[in-house]
Amino acid sequence: MQRVVAVICMLGKQGLSFRGHDETAESHNKGNFMECKGLLQQFDPFLQHYTSPSNSTYLSPASQNEMVECCSKEVTANIIKEMQNVKNKKRVKNVCHYEALERKLEEDGISQLKCVAQTYDGAAVMSGATGGVQSLFREKHPEAVHCYAHELNLVLCHTCRGITEATEFFSLLESLYSFFSCSLVSHNKFKEAQTKLGLQPRELVQLSNTRWACQLNTVNAVLDNLPAVIDCLSAINTATAVGLKTKICKFSFVYLLTLFKDLLSVVAGLHKYLQKDTIDLPQAVAYKDAVCDSLKQKRSDPTAADIYMPEQRHCRQKKKRMDDFVVETAFGVHRSISTDDEQLKTKLLYPCLDRMVTELENRFSAVNAALLQGIQAFSPVSDNFLSEPHLAELAHHYNIDLKTEEVMVARHFLTRKKQAGAAPQDMISVYNLLDSDMFLSLKSVIQVALTVPVSSCMCERSFSVLRRLHNWLRRTMGQSRLHQLAVMAIEKDVVEQLDHNKIINRFATLKERRHRLMLPMKDQ
């Protein structure tokens, strides 16, 4: 059984299919589970009895599902145990609507734990201020703040909604990608055009509303390959190609390419930082403020002239970004916007800058200002480090009785550490330096501060597991089995630490319980 469990854990962790198309004895491809069992039999004849066709205790689909269920429940049990032991060490991952979420918390016995924060994607059904899951959940858990910091990836999307020209610009980029990626003939001609013009081979990139880096990569790819794109569209000369060529040869399109290259490059670093697992909220807010200041600084005539007239960049020894571009019209994306530099500045550059700054500031301001100051007070780089009034506000919100004496002693203790050359560098360092018995209430507050989520990236990445599990070869898989396998594939690190004996005991209990339930039915 230990070896059977090991095989199931390995397949579940890697997201591999268990069953094959034909699992008969004569089949040459019985599926991963049967093949692994066959290899084990070669080294251990004892298994032959339990895996023979006459004894299908561990081979039947039902038993397989039961074992997968036991592994999945053991993973969940380990996570719940960790949450109960360290209280707020982990945050609950939202995967369903409010009612199902509350029911799941009750079933797992963790509804009584303190909920520090919520984090969802940008869908209205989840993050809506009135009828969304976060608002309904907060009625029962008023202390759970909803952090929108992870929505940086949607800033561009909302920027485009307010500026028609930007919306049409990115729609055109998506059309270009589709034109060259959906047809092998067009794709090959595009590569030939790159070779003919001596350009570095580079593929166009698909846009994404939830991945900021994709927007910048798309803009850079089109900007670097624009001569090849125009040459290829001219050679294809279909109705679609002619239409695309006419649009991308407008001066305003080239201007927007240059504009968004500059603006997206400013925010690219913040996007990468928010993807990390080890970020803290105060540092993220500080970086956001720096990005906003940089964008505000670009709202100037020199920046507008720099984008409109790239020849001013001779001192930087860069190739002119608009050289060799064919302009077939004197009009921009809209007839109301001409190629005049003043019009482009006031109708495109400034509105895009203002909208991006506004979206960035609004999405980070969702965290209550007083709570944010309390969280920042735990950061050693903050001017308000261990400020008692700010910490008291945070503690009060989460109903923690913060002891004034602990804050005072901790302040002097950390000052001595700094004088000795061992000053903490971040919030986690502060938490690790403080003793749990001596600073009980203070550590509870900083634990809350460390738990408030800045990004939902880890949760969002787990959703992509479903694409690997529920592929076109496994479409008949039931919802229950898919759920159990998804738990194992997502929580790989937990699967590796599972006690196989506990899984075996859980499996035996499950078999016995289901056997007892079936006995009365047989008697009838």
Side-chain angles (χ1 to χ4, degrees):
M1 285 296 292
Q2 287 276 2
R3 301 183 185 184
V4 172
V5 172
V7 169
I8 289 179
C9 287
M10 186 274 292
L11 295 177
K13 182 178 66 175
Q14 299 299 331
L16 300 175
S17 60
F18 281 57
R19 301 167 187 164
H21 177 69
D22 181 6
E23 296 185 346
T24 62
E26 297 79 16
S27 174
H28 296 289
N29 184 14
K30 300 181 179 68
N32 294 315
F33 181 77
M34 297 289 286
E35 293 293 341
C36 289
K37 292 297 295 298
L39 291 174
L40 290 177
Q41 287 181 18
Q42 296 179 15
F43 298 99
D44 191 348
F46 176 76
L47 289 175
Q48 294 178 3
H49 170 70
Y50 293 98
T51 58
S52 63
S54 60
N55 190 343
S56 59
T57 304
Y58 307 119
L59 295 183
S60 67
S63 294
Q64 212 177 92
N65 288 339
E66 290 171 349
M67 184 63 79
V68 170
E69 178 185 350
C70 292
C71 293
S72 171
K73 288 186 175 180
E74 193 63 31
V75 170
T76 305
N78 280 20
I79 296 175
I80 293 173
K81 182 179 179 181
E82 185 175 357
M83 294 176 66
Q84 292 172 334
N85 289 340
V86 299
K87 299 293 174 66
N88 298 314
K89 184 81 179 259
K90 283 183 176 287
R91 70 176 185 272
V92 178
K93 298 178 180 179
N94 176 66
V95 292
C96 52
H97 295 297
Y98 168 72
E99 295 82 2
L101 178 60
E102 286 286 0
R103 184 170 60 252
K104 185 62 178 175
L105 294 177
E106 291 285 348
E107 290 176 358
D108 291 338
I110 55 177
S111 59
Q112 76 284 359
L113 297 181
K114 189 185 300 296
C115 182
V116 173
Q118 308 177 65
T119 177
Y120 308 112
D121 59 18
V125 67
M126 304 304 294
S127 60
T130 55
V133 172
Q134 68 95 8
S135 62
L136 297 173
F137 190 78
R138 193 180 292 182
E139 292 178 2
K140 185 174 181 179
H141 305 275
E143 74 282 0
V145 299
H146 183 200
C147 180
Y148 287 87
H150 64 277
E151 291 186 349
L152 170 68
N153 289 313
L154 298 178
V155 169
L156 179 62
C157 180
H158 287 267
T159 299
C160 294
R161 288 179 184 176
I163 304 171
T164 305
E165 292 79 13
T167 303
E168 295 181 358
F169 168 74
F170 283 102
S171 176
L172 181 54
L173 291 183
E174 185 67 22
S175 297
L176 282 175
Y177 171 81
S178 300
F179 181 81
F180 287 108
S181 62
C182 295
S183 170
L184 184 60
V185 174
S186 299
H187 183 262
N188 290 336
K189 288 186 177 181
F190 175 60
K191 294 173 65 177
E192 292 172 1
Q194 288 178 317
T195 304
K196 182 179 70 174
L197 296 173
L199 299 174
Q200 187 72 24
R202 183 175 182 179
E203 300 289 345
L204 299 184
V205 182
Q206 187 176 18
L207 288 170
S208 171
N209 286 336
T210 58
R211 291 292 177 266
W212 187 279
C214 292
Q215 324 295 349
L216 180 57
N217 293 337
T218 301
V219 170
N220 285 333
V222 174
L223 189 58
D224 294 341
N225 289 283
L226 192 53
V229 171
I230 295 175
D231 185 83
C232 185
L233 292 174
S234 301
I236 296 175
N237 202 33
T238 61
T240 303
V242 171
L244 289 174
K245 178 187 173 184
T246 302
K247 291 180 180 179
I248 68 174
C249 285
K250 293 180 180 180
F251 182 85
S252 55
F253 176 79
V254 181
Y255 180 87
L256 285 168
L257 276 176
T258 309
L259 168 64
F260 278 107
K261 175 182 172 64
D262 281 1
L263 300 188
L264 296 178
S265 297
V266 173
V267 196
L270 180 61
H271 166 76
K272 292 179 181 179
Y273 180 76
L274 291 179
Q275 297 288 325
K276 293 183 177 180
D277 299 335
T278 56
I279 58 177
D280 59 53
L281 187 55
Q283 192 68 23
V285 173
Y287 286 149
K288 183 272 303 183
D289 291 337
V291 168
C292 287
D293 291 341
S294 300
L295 291 174
K296 292 176 183 177
Q297 186 177 355
K298 282 186 170 291
R299 200 182 191 280
S300 62
D301 290 339
T303 298
D306 196 28
I307 295 175
Y308 184 78
M309 301 175 63
E311 59 269 17
Q312 293 184 3
R313 296 191 173 189
H314 281 315
C315 59
R316 299 169 72 172
Q317 299 298 319
K318 285 192 175 181
K319 187 182 186 300
K320 297 178 182 179
R321 287 178 290 178
M322 296 185 187
D323 283 358
D324 303 325
F325 293 161
V326 180
V327 180
E328 296 183 348
T329 178
F331 295 96
V333 180
H334 273 189
R335 294 185 178 181
S336 59
I337 301 179
S338 69
T339 58
D340 178 71
D341 59 342
E342 190 67 24
Q343 281 280 310
L344 292 170
K345 177 179 69 175
T346 58
K347 298 295 184 180
L348 292 181
L349 174 59
Y350 286 178
C352 287
L353 275 171
D354 295 342
R355 186 83 179 193
M356 288 179 68
V357 171
T358 301
E359 290 292 335
L360 278 170
E361 291 178 341
N362 288 345
R363 293 183 183 282
F364 274 76
S365 65
V367 183
N368 183 278
L371 299 183
L372 181 57
Q373 289 178 345
I375 295 172
Q376 288 178 316
F378 280 115
S379 175
V381 300
S382 172
D383 295 334
N384 299 320
F385 182 48
L386 290 183
S387 168
E388 186 177 338
H390 294 124
L391 296 180
E393 185 73 26
L394 180 64
H396 175 72
H397 180 81
Y398 289 103
N399 300 317
I400 299 175
D401 184 17
L402 179 63
K403 305 298 182 183
T404 304
E405 300 80 8
E406 292 184 16
V407 179
M408 184 186 305
V409 175
R411 191 182 299 115
H412 288 94
F413 170 70
L414 295 175
T415 299
R416 287 180 172 273
K417 284 288 184 180
K418 183 177 181 180
Q419 294 172 348
Q425 301 300 315
D426 49 34
M427 294 172 63
I428 295 179
S429 301
V430 174
Y431 179 82
N432 292 332
L433 283 173
L434 300 179
D435 182 78
S436 299
D437 295 325
M438 187 170 182
F439 303 99
L440 180 61
S441 66
L442 184 60
K443 289 205 69 170
S444 297
V445 180
I446 191 174
Q447 194 174 61
V448 167
L450 287 169
T451 307
V452 172
V454 177
S455 172
S456 65
C457 295
M458 292 301 293
C459 295
E460 290 174 352
R461 289 188 186 119
S462 68
F463 299 154
S464 62
V465 171
L466 294 176
R467 296 181 62 185
R468 298 195 299 270
L469 291 176
H470 203 224
N471 54 47
W472 67 278
L473 290 174
R474 308 169 77 179
R475 289 298 180 188
T476 59
M477 185 190 308
Q479 183 64 34
S480 176
R481 182 181 174 91
L482 176 61
H483 168 71
Q484 314 297 350
L485 291 175
V487 170
M488 297 177 65
I490 293 170
E491 303 293 348
K492 293 183 179 181
D493 54 336
V494 181
V495 174
E496 293 177 352
Q497 302 171 7
L498 291 181
D499 185 342
H500 291 181
N501 288 324
K502 291 184 177 180
I503 298 175
I504 294 173
N505 292 336
R506 187 184 291 272
F507 177 73
T509 302
L510 180 64
K511 277 287 189 182
E512 182 180 358
R513 182 170 66 251
R514 291 183 176 175
H515 179 68
R516 288 201 304 267
L517 291 175
M518 292 176 62
L519 285 178
M521 297 177 60
K522 290 183 177 180
D523 293 339
Q524 293 176 359

